[in-house]
Amino acid sequence: MSNLDVRPQEATCGGRQDVSAEPVHELNAGRTVALGESTNVRRLLPNLGRRMIGAWCFVDHYGPDDIADEPGMQVPPHPHMGLQTVSWLHDGHVFHRDSVGSQQLIRPRELGLMTSGAAIAHSEESPRDHDAILHGAQLWVALPERDRHVSPRFEHHPNVPVVTARGLTATVILGEFDGALSPGTTYSPLVGVDIALRSGTDTSLPLERDFEYAVLSMSGIVEVDGEDIGPGSLLYLGSGRKEVRVRANTDGGLMLLGGEPFGEKIIMWWNFIGRTHDEIAEARAQWNADERFGTVHGYDGERLLAPSLPAGPLIPRGAAGRKR
Ligand code: MN
């Protein structure tokens, strides 16, 4: 998915000094962002108070939307740099095309993982014949300095590991959870888990003390760390916890996102992550000149051009953003 803002704000993030070593309880409802003509998403990250959770640096939640009589998701070819994208669906399908030649239908609870490295372009669209309901999340993971120029690649993992307990089904998207390891390639210590809970389940999720965590609510009403959270909100939990209690008041779905605090300062602007203003400006100019990022074949439509850069220079700052 693309950041389709016509006037994207730069987000400067990373660096450990803004990450709490203690547990935190910070609820964010996100803000609604129009993605193309037919899809609204809730942007949970980055937000005013919080820029990153480990290396996770971008979280959009979309749907459930009834797209039976609509085209659904139609995100034209656009570039990425310095990050991985994670496509995760609860309902519906997304067809992925990219400039390294991948063409892949992604189904619910299958991992679509694209590593941009230095340069890739992709498109994402609902297939012409599609299910009525589209519901999912799009996430980005920042690549650390040593790996951010790797060759671009796309991984499709239709069978990621599933851990079950009474009333709980945990699907390991990235990293390791309860002894189960996702096959998805990671470049820093992090975890992403899809948690499905049956109504009435009261349990604790095991956590790593030196990771920071957040929980994204996907569906239902689930009490997390003592607070009911509804779909499309993100509860930041900080670090220093060995578990978090979850109680499902209805059947519910969560995504647990965590990782070692990201030690480097980065700049996010539009669909790029870099370290300097000039690097971002160069990537923008090259994409708009149809250089460097390759060609996405088969998408029925025009490429998405990058908007103008903001007037001032892009400067890397801390992970927690402006203080509220
Ligand atoms: Mn994208």
Side-chain angles (χ1 to χ4, degrees):
M1 192 174 297
S2 168
N3 183 347
L4 292 182
D5 284 5
V6 288
R7 267 190 210 88
Q9 301 244 312
E10 81 276 20
T12 49
C13 22
R16 283 166 201 250
Q17 72 274 22
D18 293 318
V19 177
S20 172
E22 303 293 324
V24 174
H25 181 103
E26 181 183 287
L27 187 62
N28 189 280
R31 64 187 170 97
T32 301
V33 176
L35 192 75
E37 288 166 15
S38 57
T39 310
N40 280 327
V41 305
R42 279 153 306 283
R43 178 141 313 150
L44 284 316
L45 205 70
N47 64 57
L48 216 52
R50 186 62 51 192
R51 304 297 198 192
M52 298 183 81
I53 305 150
W56 299 98
C57 58
F58 181 97
V59 177
D60 272 354
H61 172 250
Y62 55 91
D65 291 324
D66 186 340
I67 60 165
D69 300 317
E70 297 179 31
M73 183 185 292
Q74 298 294 329
V75 183
H78 60 277
H80 285 293
M81 170 178 86
L83 56 90
Q84 295 176 290
T85 65
V86 174
S87 302
W88 191 253
L89 289 163
H90 275 192
D91 296 286
H93 301 89
V94 168
F95 194 79
H96 164 98
R97 304 172 192 271
D98 64 40
S99 55
V100 296
S102 316
Q103 296 199 358
Q104 182 64 53
L105 184 68
I106 302 169
R107 301 173 187 81
R109 294 186 169 78
E110 295 181 353
L111 173 60
L113 176 64
M114 186 178 80
T115 302
S116 76
I120 200 168
H122 73 149
S123 64
E124 295 154 291
E125 61 196 297
S126 297
R128 194 155 298 165
D129 293 319
H130 53 251
D131 290 357
I133 303 299
L134 179 64
H135 181 205
Q138 176 78 11
L139 310 99
W140 297 355
V141 176
L143 292 171
E145 179 62 36
R146 67 175 180 276
D147 299 310
R148 69 191 184 98
H149 304 291
V150 296
S151 298
R153 61 190 288 214
F154 178 77
E155 299 169 44
H156 176 236
H157 298 289
N159 297 300
V160 285
V162 175
V163 177
T164 56
R166 184 198 291 261
L168 179 150
T169 303
T171 307
V172 187
I173 302 166
L174 279 182
E176 183 177 356
F177 181 78
D178 198 30
L181 181 66
S182 164
T185 304
T186 56
Y187 295 90
S188 63
L190 59 83
V191 69
V193 191
D194 181 281
I195 310 273
L197 296 161
R198 261 204 305 279
S199 181
T201 303
D202 183 351
T203 188
S204 289
L205 306 177
L207 305 180
E208 307 282 341
R209 280 186 185 279
D210 55 353
F211 278 19
E212 56 177 336
Y213 287 94
V215 172
L216 168 66
S217 171
M218 295 290 287
S219 60
I221 300 294
V222 180
E223 182 189 308
V224 181
D225 196 34
E227 181 161 353
D228 284 348
I229 61 172
S233 51
L234 184 83
L235 180 65
Y236 179 71
L237 294 167
S239 49
R241 297 172 185 260
K242 71 171 204 238
E243 59 183 26
V244 65
R245 187 175 180 187
V246 294
R247 293 205 301 176
N249 300 318
T250 64
D251 287 354
L254 305 172
M255 287 178 74
L256 175 69
L257 305 173
E260 200 171 87
F262 198 74
E264 300 167 31
K265 294 208 172 184
I266 62 174
I267 300 175
M268 285 178 63
W269 180 80
W270 195 49
N271 293 303
F272 303 129
I273 293 181
R275 299 297 186 272
T276 65
H277 174 95
D278 289 351
E279 188 186 353
I280 301 265
E282 181 184 32
R284 175 193 172 278
Q286 287 172 320
W287 167 253
N288 281 0
D290 202 5
E291 295 167 0
R292 174 175 165 179
F293 291 88
T295 302
V296 178
H297 293 286
Y299 183 83
D300 185 15
E302 297 296 312
R303 300 180 330 130
L304 196 64
L305 291 182
S308 302
L309 285 163
L314 305 171
I315 302 165
R317 290 191 209 98
R322 291 185 285 273
K323 294 285 182 255
R324 288 181 293 184

